[in-house]
Amino acid sequence: LPLLLIESHMGFVNHTVVTHFILLGIPDADGLQTILFITFLAFYLCTLLGNLLIFSAILADPRLHTPMYFFLCNLAVLDIGFSSISTPKMLTNLWGQNRVISLGGCMSQVFFGHFLGSTECLLYTVMAYDRYVAICHPLRYQLIMNRRVCALLVAGTWITSSFHATILTSLTFMLPYCGSNVVDYFFCDIFPVVKLACADMKVIEIVTLTNTGVVPMTCFHLILASYIRIMYSVLKMNSAEGRRKAASTCASHLAVVTLFFGQCALIYTQPQQSKGLVTAVHIFGNVVTPMLNPAIYTLRNKEVKAAL
């Protein structure tokens, strides 16, 4: 590794500049590489196929050109992107034992992980608002959720998340990395990476926990408020068919929201969790959840089934 002379108040000190990182991979996976490779590859291909099918069906069928399916289309794109952040590199590590990742590649994993994760979080909030308007204000739904409003809401989620991810990534890689370059994890995330910094990490850990906590907690409370209002409106309905239909339209969204926020709570609210638990939850979120989302949204949805 190249050496850089860094001037400090103590004089000139030699520091090693980290140009790449080495990912140790999934803990305790020795002897299971082939099985894990085949399993994760199957999950990844199913994720790509399922989300591409939903994306194509929504674009191709004019009956699905509604706000709910516009948001679902964005979710499909997010799931493809999110699963592609770490899964291809993880498959390379399992198959070829190539554990090296460049500094730029590591920065990209941190940035896109938080960019797409934050966008998904905000998108679930927008989808909850869409369900709230559809059930609580059905007569004004088309007026409130017009194309311009939907486009602005979605654009807002992507733009806001880009700022959020830029702040976190900048704070992470502005730290000096002058020692070990071995990341004790299967992909680059903030907490495993900052452990390698030769500086005080308390500030970045506090900022990261605050930042990654504020966005999910704000979204969670907005979603909770929407569903409390929805439940109140559903209970006031006289028609059993109306209540069943309202519950059916919300069930899929509630399922994916529970999966998403459950993972966030386990990983980011308690950074000192056992490595085995955090790894399992991260793998589930990065590999399994993006594959499940298309199934959750299509199994109970006759319109999407017909379009497919």
Side-chain angles (χ1 to χ4, degrees):
L1 296 177
L3 295 178
L4 178 70
L5 288 174
I6 298 177
E7 187 178 4
S8 70
H9 67 282
M10 296 296 290
F12 287 89
V13 182
N14 277 338
H15 282 287
T16 306
V17 178
V18 173
T19 58
H20 63 273
F21 292 94
I22 298 170
L23 303 172
L24 287 186
I26 300 169
D28 305 318
D30 292 338
L32 301 173
Q33 285 90 343
T34 304
I35 295 172
L36 291 175
F37 176 84
I38 294 170
T39 303
F40 293 152
L41 178 62
F43 283 162
Y44 184 56
L45 292 176
C46 288
T47 298
L48 295 179
L49 179 62
N51 284 289
L52 283 171
L53 278 173
I54 284 190
F55 183 81
S56 304
I58 292 170
L59 287 182
D61 195 332
R63 293 172 299 176
L64 301 183
H65 293 177
T66 63
M68 184 176 78
Y69 294 110
F70 174 61
F71 300 139
L72 186 56
C73 205
N74 277 267
L75 182 61
V77 173
L78 283 170
D79 282 335
I80 291 171
F82 200 73
S83 65
S84 299
I85 295 167
S86 60
T87 307
K89 183 60 181 174
M90 182 169 63
L91 291 172
T92 304
N93 293 352
L94 289 169
W95 184 255
Q97 298 296 309
N98 180 15
R99 301 180 184 275
V100 177
I101 184 169
S102 67
L103 178 62
C106 192
M107 290 174 71
S108 297
Q109 284 194 337
V110 172
F111 174 81
F112 284 106
H114 288 274
F115 171 49
L116 297 180
S118 179
T119 304
E120 189 164 348
C121 184
L122 292 170
L123 185 63
Y124 285 141
T125 311
V126 170
M127 293 170 80
Y129 175 70
D130 173 66
R131 293 300 83 208
Y132 158 74
V133 176
I135 292 170
C136 300
H137 304 284
L139 298 179
R140 292 194 294 156
Y141 179 72
Q142 294 294 336
L143 180 65
I144 296 172
M145 299 300 292
N146 58 61
R147 287 192 175 188
R148 182 173 176 273
V149 169
C150 291
L152 287 173
L153 286 171
V154 168
T157 64
W158 288 91
I159 293 168
T160 303
S161 298
S162 68
F163 285 116
H164 168 80
T166 300
I167 292 168
L168 291 178
T169 308
S170 300
L171 286 171
T172 301
F173 291 95
M174 279 172 61
L175 294 170
Y177 292 91
C178 49
S180 172
N181 65 339
V182 179
V183 179
D184 190 11
Y185 211 42
F186 68 95
F187 77 106
C188 288
D189 197 16
I190 290 175
F191 291 126
V193 171
V194 295
K195 288 178 182 177
L196 306 178
C198 46
D200 187 4
M201 299 180 296
K202 288 182 181 177
V203 175
I204 180 67
E205 286 182 347
I206 291 169
V207 170
T208 302
L209 279 173
T210 304
N211 225 337
T212 53
V214 167
V215 174
M217 286 305 294
T218 302
C219 293
F220 177 77
H221 284 100
L222 288 172
I223 292 170
L224 185 63
S226 297
Y227 274 102
I228 289 172
R229 188 66 183 85
I230 287 170
M231 285 178 62
Y232 180 72
S233 296
V234 168
L235 291 173
K236 285 175 63 179
M237 291 179 180
N238 296 322
S239 166
E241 178 63 21
R243 287 196 295 270
R244 188 199 62 78
K245 188 175 180 181
S248 178
T249 58
C250 297
S252 299
H253 183 251
L254 276 173
V256 295
V257 163
T258 302
L259 285 173
F260 181 84
F261 284 100
Q263 294 158 28
C264 288
L266 283 170
I267 294 170
Y268 292 109
T269 58
Q270 301 178 57
Q272 302 304 319
Q273 285 274 19
S274 69
K275 189 195 295 185
L277 175 61
V278 172
T279 303
V281 173
H282 248 143
I283 290 174
F284 188 84
N286 292 5
V287 180
V288 182
T289 301
M291 181 191 70
L292 290 178
N293 284 349
I296 291 170
Y297 272 102
T298 54
L299 286 176
R300 295 171 58 87
N301 195 312
K302 294 178 181 179
E303 291 173 319
V304 176
K305 283 181 181 178
L308 288 171

